[in-house]
Amino acid sequence: MDNLKSILQENEVQFEIIHHESPIRTAQEGADYFGIEIGQTAPTLVLKSEKGYFAMIISGGRERVNLEEVSEILGCNQLKMATPKEVQKITGYTVGSVPLIGHSLPCIVDKELFRYPFIYGGTGDPTSTLKMPPHALEKLNQVVALLG
């Protein structure tokens, strides 16, 4: 968490880390807890392909992600969700708490998130949430594609 704060402070990004007693497991739980639109929740998913692993930060407002479309954007033959064990090994974090920033994976960002002044996502700790402006995703991650 200190690393996350350092990155945000060094890059002069406005942010808030919000602590809560129990983990927030779904976009709907996050929207209800924070009193925000479901589209402002931004889970970080980890995808696996023959080219390696990718982090995909999507809007919680999406019903589902079309992996074939993302596969085409990235030029991959096969793309699937990484297993919880792979996510832990690759990122050092458990599924559901992978941070919005501060990991070394190439990143795909959902354009839907840019509609909001702030988005809410992982910090690496299941009992805290990072609130920050969506434009910081591009500034602080190695963005390789926009999903749109």
Side-chain angles (χ1 to χ4, degrees):
M1 184 93 69
D2 288 341
N3 182 38
L4 188 77
K5 285 181 185 174
S6 298
I7 293 168
L8 291 158
Q9 288 166 345
E10 284 167 20
N11 287 278
E12 298 178 354
V13 171
Q14 181 186 359
F15 74 95
E16 184 181 349
I17 292 178
I18 305 164
H19 298 279
H20 33 88
E21 284 187 23
S22 52
I24 293 174
R25 291 189 172 36
T26 67
Q28 189 60 61
E29 280 181 24
D32 292 345
Y33 184 86
F34 296 112
I36 57 172
E37 285 184 36
I38 196 166
Q40 286 179 269
T41 62
T44 303
L45 309 176
V46 178
L47 305 177
K48 179 183 181 180
S49 78
E50 77 278 2
K51 292 184 175 185
Y53 292 90
F54 295 89
M56 181 168 65
I57 301 171
I58 62 161
S59 167
R62 278 191 187 265
E63 293 283 316
R64 55 182 289 279
V65 175
N66 182 337
L67 290 180
E68 281 182 26
E69 179 190 338
V70 178
S71 200
E72 282 178 31
I73 293 169
L74 296 173
C76 298
N77 294 325
Q78 191 177 18
L79 197 60
K80 60 185 178 185
M81 300 295 288
T83 66
K85 201 173 196 176
E86 288 170 325
V87 171
Q88 177 79 47
K89 183 180 173 198
I90 298 302
T91 67
Y93 301 101
T94 56
V95 168
S97 65
V98 177
L100 285 171
I101 60 161
H103 47 73
S104 58
L105 296 173
C107 198
I108 305 138
V109 175
D110 187 346
K111 287 182 191 170
E112 287 293 305
L113 295 168
F114 298 109
R115 294 181 14 216
Y116 300 100
F118 292 99
I119 57 170
Y120 297 70
T123 62
D125 170 5
T127 58
S128 66
T129 297
L130 173 61
K131 174 185 175 184
M132 68 177 203
H135 70 270
L137 292 173
E138 289 183 296
K139 185 176 182 178
L140 303 175
N141 284 319
Q142 180 196 336
V143 176
V144 294
L146 292 173
L147 182 63

